[in-house]
Amino acid sequence: MKFKDFSEGGGNRKDMAKVIETRGISKRFGGITAVNSLDFHVEEKEIVGLIGPNGAGKTTVFNLIMGVLRQDSGDIIFNGTNINNYPTHKRVKIGIARTYQIPKPLKEWTIFENIRISMIPDGIKSIRRIGGREEDIRRIAKETGLTEYLEKYPDELPIGALRRLELARALANDPKLILIDEAFAGMTKEEIDVISELLKKKRKEGMSFIIIDHNLEALANIVDRVIVIHLGRKLAEGKLQEIIKKEDVKKAYLGE
Ligand code: ATP
C-alpha cells in the first residue's frame, strides 16, 4: 500500500505538552494479559492511531484510560496529573471523552436531546451556556453533519450518522482528548472525508485524539503517528507510512 502523508499536527512537536501518558500499564483477565507494561503518550494537537490485530488489547487500553477498567499496575497521567484513582465521571469532567465501536445512543430521545444530555452541567460551563446551550448543540450538529436529523430519533438514522452522533456526543463537553473506537467502520468514502476534516479542524483548535481503526488508508489521511500493539505490548511506533513496512508489523497483521 502507498500512502500520502497528509498529517499536519501543530508545528514544532518538541514544544508540545503531553496530554495523556501511560507508564507501564498492565491488565490481566484471568490467564490473559490483555495489556502488558504499555508505555505511550499523546501530545497536544496530535492525532494518534492505535492499531493492531484483533484481540491486541486496543479496546482494553481505552477502557483503562476512561477508568471503566482499572489497570493491575502502572500509571495513567492526564495533563500532568496522575488519574489512577479517578472514577470515570471525573475523567470525563477533566476533559477525556470516548466514542464506542457500537454506537450507544439514547433511543428514547431525539438527536438534539442526545447531544444536550451529553453536556455535563458543571458550574463554569453552565454559566457560559445560559442561552448558549441550544447554540452549542446546533453548532456541534452542524460540524458533525447532523443538522437534518436533530428532531429525529436514533432508530431513524443510517449507521454513518449514528457514528457521527457518537462523535457529536463526545464533542459536547469540549474535551482535551477524545478516544475514538472504530472511527470509520460502516462509513462511506464521503462520510470518512467529512469526519477526517472535522478531526483536523478540532486538532487545530487544540484537541488530541487516539483513534482505533482497521482502515489504514483512512487513518493515513489524518494521523500524525501510530502505535502498533500486539498481544498487549507495543510492537512499533512512528509514522504509519514507515511502520507498515516493518516485517514484525506485517507478520502480526498477517498472522491474524
Ligand atoms: P478488536 O480489534 O477485536 O476489538 P482489541 O485489540 O480491542 O480487539 P481487546 O478487546 O482489548 O482487543 O481484547 C484484548 C484481549 O483481552 C483479548 O484476548 C480479549 O479476549 C481479552 N478481553 C478483553 N476484555 C475482556 C474481559 N472483560 N474479560 C475477559 N477477557 C477480556
Side-chain angles (χ1 to χ4, degrees), residues 29 32 34 53-60 101 214:
F29 297 109
I32 297 167
N54 289 322
K58 305 179 295 291
T59 303
T60 304
Q101 205 167 350
H214 292 283

Side-chain angles (χ1 to χ4, degrees), residues 2-246:
K2 212 173 163 205
F3 299 121
K4 284 186 202 161
D5 185 1
F6 289 103
S7 61
E8 53 183 38
N12 184 355
R13 292 236 151 258
K14 268 185 265 170
D15 298 335
M16 296 291 170
K18 287 176 186 172
V19 172
I20 190 105
E21 183 179 8
T22 69
R23 296 184 188 155
I25 53 168
S26 295
K27 179 69 191 174
R28 281 175 295 278
F29 297 109
I32 297 167
T33 304
V35 176
N36 199 341
S37 300
L38 190 67
D39 292 319
F40 74 87
H41 74 272
V42 175
E43 291 168 11
E44 248 174 33
K45 297 190 178 182
E46 195 178 29
I47 302 180
V48 169
L50 185 62
I51 63 174
N54 289 322
K58 305 179 295 291
T59 303
T60 304
V61 169
F62 275 13
N63 285 331
L64 293 174
I65 294 175
M66 289 313 301
V68 173
L69 295 171
R70 292 301 167 93
Q71 65 270 25
D72 300 313
S73 53
D75 294 307
I76 301 180
I77 317 292
F78 179 73
N79 266 338
T81 302
N82 185 313
I83 58 166
N84 285 359
N85 295 322
Y86 284 32
T88 301
H89 67 87
K90 199 166 168 192
R91 297 183 195 212
V92 170
K93 207 163 175 177
I94 61 172
I96 312 178
R98 93 179 283 179
T99 68
Y100 287 92
Q101 205 167 350
I102 298 163
K104 291 190 175 180
L106 300 165
K107 295 196 169 174
E108 311 299 314
W109 299 88
T110 63
I111 303 311
F112 183 93
E113 289 297 326
N114 263 272
I115 300 173
R116 191 181 64 77
I117 289 162
S118 303
M119 294 174 164
I120 319 169
D122 79 12
I124 296 165
K125 282 191 174 157
S126 30
I127 291 167
R128 185 168 62 77
R129 284 200 188 114
I130 289 175
R133 176 166 282 239
E134 182 169 345
E135 213 174 280
D136 282 346
I137 296 168
R138 294 195 179 278
R139 175 183 50 78
I140 292 167
K142 193 171 172 209
E143 284 180 334
T144 49
L146 291 172
T147 303
E148 63 177 303
Y149 300 115
L150 275 175
E151 304 315 320
K152 297 208 180 303
Y153 289 85
D155 282 351
E156 302 174 88
L157 266 58
I159 181 68
L162 283 176
R163 290 196 169 276
R164 296 201 302 280
L165 176 60
E166 279 289 297
L167 191 56
R169 295 179 66 198
L171 288 169
N173 287 305
D174 201 20
K176 283 293 290 174
L177 172 70
I178 303 187
L179 315 178
I180 305 184
D181 204 345
E182 299 273 354
F184 305 119
M187 284 191 178
T188 63
K189 169 87 176 66
E190 287 70 29
E191 285 172 324
I192 291 175
D193 289 345
V194 169
I195 292 298
S196 299
E197 286 312 309
L198 173 60
L199 298 186
K200 286 182 193 175
K201 175 173 170 261
K202 291 290 162 191
R203 168 172 62 188
K204 266 197 185 136
E205 290 171 13
M207 273 186 205
S208 304
F209 299 89
I210 308 178
I211 304 179
I212 296 176
D213 208 278
H214 292 283
N215 184 342
L216 299 186
E217 213 153 333
L219 278 184
N221 281 337
I222 50 168
V223 293
D224 299 298
R225 190 160 57 91
V226 290
I227 295 162
V228 187
I229 59 172
H230 181 42
L231 301 174
R233 286 185 183 277
K234 187 160 70 183
L235 187 64
E237 182 174 12
K239 290 259 170 216
L240 178 59
Q241 292 79 359
E242 288 154 25
I243 289 296
I244 51 154
K245 291 183 200 146
K246 291 175 97 132

